[in-house]
């Protein structure tokens, strides 16, 4: 159904496939950038992933103006402010971010600070309020296939004082170029491949069912789900399969573009809260919460869940399933995938297998209700509803 | 419309426990401004020890949170009950300066106020669920009009 009004925006130029990294110098030259600041984390530096990127830059005659490789898993406003100061002191003119969601979201925050000429990320908080500001070319190189941060206008950054993950939403957070090179995800362990893949699935699922859904975001979400259906299992079970890795990187990008424009709902709202309060890894929170939240939304979303069976199970199964059983079929299929990954790589199925503690549930529920994602969930959610879901998922 | 929303907010802070709980969760002196458009009419509210108070327009620059409709038609769509706040957000009808978490709390209050102010058939259309009313809508109108 066509909404009364919608907007769709997805400008990043996509470089996808073999030797995509080697095209970064050319892409930076196109953007008139000469001195990029390279952002990443310690793990990627240690395992040599970052070296692959710097080698690709060198092969194109480009040396970064500086680097910051201390970005933690749940990056905070303090880190963003620190990197922005470094960017200014080194006289850099652009950003290359190599990493997962935390690194890319940190880079978005840094770019926002520089372009708005601000000193503290908290001064530019909001939703669609900032203008394009000063131009800071930004290249995103994801090293996981899940967050889709390379194609979203959302940055999630921890407020270390309130211990809440703050959302920043602006069209000007989107990178200029997204680079999907299969070498970047080949070394991901099976469990992280599974959890980030399930995160991408959750992005597509919520994009397809939340209030901001529209025909263009639906197309991206459906395409992402088909790729996930065909390639996630292979990527988890055989991490060296380049085709599966590249397919999942594309699925994550597409799911990101979908949810950037239609937003995500209660699964992400509760997941962000679990991340902020209990430090449950985002992909694991999504995996665990997905079926329970789908059950909660079922009376409102049964029809849309039913349609998703086509993309998640394929046409044969879809056609062979009676209409009234398709919605439940989609939930069962997601449970089945989770169970498979639990068996094969230890992906948790219950919150009790994570850092979540029952005594924190009250705090988690309060934070979830204040998360921006909750407003686009198609069904009203109250504190007791969140507590019930957390209890069931524990 | 904005002025009446403010008056209803003031009344419901006194008589609706959920609204009071939400507002009391804000820091003392928290200032919220709503603009129909950048140059258009607006209202600025503050959480004080007396509850909800209106501030002069000169306080707009000190706001902790500013909600600004993109155009006057968008403001009319929301304030006349043609679309809900969630739909308005989905349709990019307004922008927000400030914390999204604080905004969610304010949105929750506005949805409760809408449930009191709009007739049932409108409220049911624009709200995902009808909140429990703790005072009659007629009373809210009466208090808001007479400012008592």
């Amino acid at each position: 159904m066509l909404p009364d009004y919608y907007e769709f925006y997805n400008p990043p130029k996509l470089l996808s496939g073999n030797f995509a990294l080697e095209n970064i110098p050319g892409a930076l030259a196109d953007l008139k950038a000469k001195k990029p600041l390279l952002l990443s984390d310690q793990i990627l530096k240690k395992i040599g992933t970052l070296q692959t990127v710097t080698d690709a830059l060198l092969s194109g005659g480009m040396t970064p103006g500086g680097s910051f490789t201390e970005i933690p898993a749940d990056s905070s406003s303090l880190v963003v402010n620190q990197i922005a100061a470094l960017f200014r002191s080194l006289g850099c003119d652009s950003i290359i971010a190599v990493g997962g969601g935390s690194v890319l979201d940190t880079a978005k925050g840094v770019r926002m600070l520089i372009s708005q000429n601000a000193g503290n990320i908290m001064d530019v908080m909001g939703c669609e309020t900032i203008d394009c500001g000063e131009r800071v070319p930004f290249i995103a190189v994801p090293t996981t296939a899940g967050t889709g941060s390379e194609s979203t206008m959302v940055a999630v950054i921890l407020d270390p004082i309130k211990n809440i993950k703050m959302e920043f939403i602006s069209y000007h957070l989107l990178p200029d170029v997204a680079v999907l090179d299969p070498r970047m995800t080949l070394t991901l362990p099976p469990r992280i491949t599974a959890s980030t893949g399930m995160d991408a699935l959750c992005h597509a699922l919520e994009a397809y069912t939340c209030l901001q859904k529209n025909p263009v975001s639906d197309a991206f979400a459906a395409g992402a789900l088909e790729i996930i259906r065909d390639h996630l299992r292979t990527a988890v079970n055989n991490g060296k399969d380049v085709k599966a890795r590249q397919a999942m990187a594309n699925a994550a990008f597409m799911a990101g573009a979908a949810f950037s424009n239609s937003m995500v709902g209660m699964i992400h709202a509760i997941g962000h809260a679990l991340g902020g309060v209990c430090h449950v890894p985002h992909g694991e929170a999504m995996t665990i919460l997905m079926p329970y939240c789908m059950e909660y939304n079922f009376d409102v979303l049964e029809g849309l869940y039913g349609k998703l069976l086509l993309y998640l199970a394929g046409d044969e199964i879809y056609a062979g399933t009676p209409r009234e059983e398709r919605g439940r079929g989609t939930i069962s299929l997601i449970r089945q995938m989770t169970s498979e990954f639990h068996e094969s790589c230890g992906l948790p199925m219950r919150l009790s297998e994570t850092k979540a503690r029952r005594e924190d549930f009250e705090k988690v529920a309060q934070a979830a209700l204040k998360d921006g994602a909750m407003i686009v969930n198609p069904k009203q959610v109250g504190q007791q509803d969140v507590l019930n879901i957390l209890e069931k998922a524990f | 419309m904005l002025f009446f929303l403010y008056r209803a907010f003031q009344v419901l802070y006194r008589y609706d426990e959920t609204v009071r709980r939400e507002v009391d969760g804000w820091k003392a002196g928290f200032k919220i401004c709503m603009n129909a458009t950048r140059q258009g009419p607006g209202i600025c509210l503050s959480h004080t020890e007396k509850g909800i108070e209106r501030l002069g327009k000169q306080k707009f620059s000190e706001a902790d949170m500013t909600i600004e409709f993109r155009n006057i038609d968008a403001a009319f769509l929301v304030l006349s009950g043609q679309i809900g706040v969630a739909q308005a957000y989905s349709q990019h009808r307004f922008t927000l300066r400030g914390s999204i978490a604080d905004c969610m709390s304010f949105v929750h209050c506005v949805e409760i106020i809408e449930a009191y102010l709009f007739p049932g058939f409108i409220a049911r259309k624009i709200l995902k669920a009808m909140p429990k009313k703790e005072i009659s809508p007629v009373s809210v109108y009466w208090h808001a009009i007479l400012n008592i």
Side-chain angles (χ1 to χ4, degrees), chain A residues 30-50:
Chain A
D30 272 354
L31 295 163
K32 293 198 178 298
K34 290 177 182 159
K35 201 175 173 187
L37 179 66
L38 187 61
L39 304 182
S40 193
D41 62 37
Q42 275 299 300
I43 295 172
L44 293 167
K45 187 179 177 186
K46 199 173 159 189
I47 63 174
T49 306
L50 195 58

Side-chain angles (χ1 to χ4, degrees), chain B residues 5-13 19 23 26 45 106 113:
Chain B
L5 184 77
Y6 147 68
R7 281 276 180 86
F9 201 172
Q10 230 181 3
V11 173
L12 287 167
Y13 176 79
V19 171
V23 174
W26 304 346
L45 315 174
F106 179 64
I113 296 167

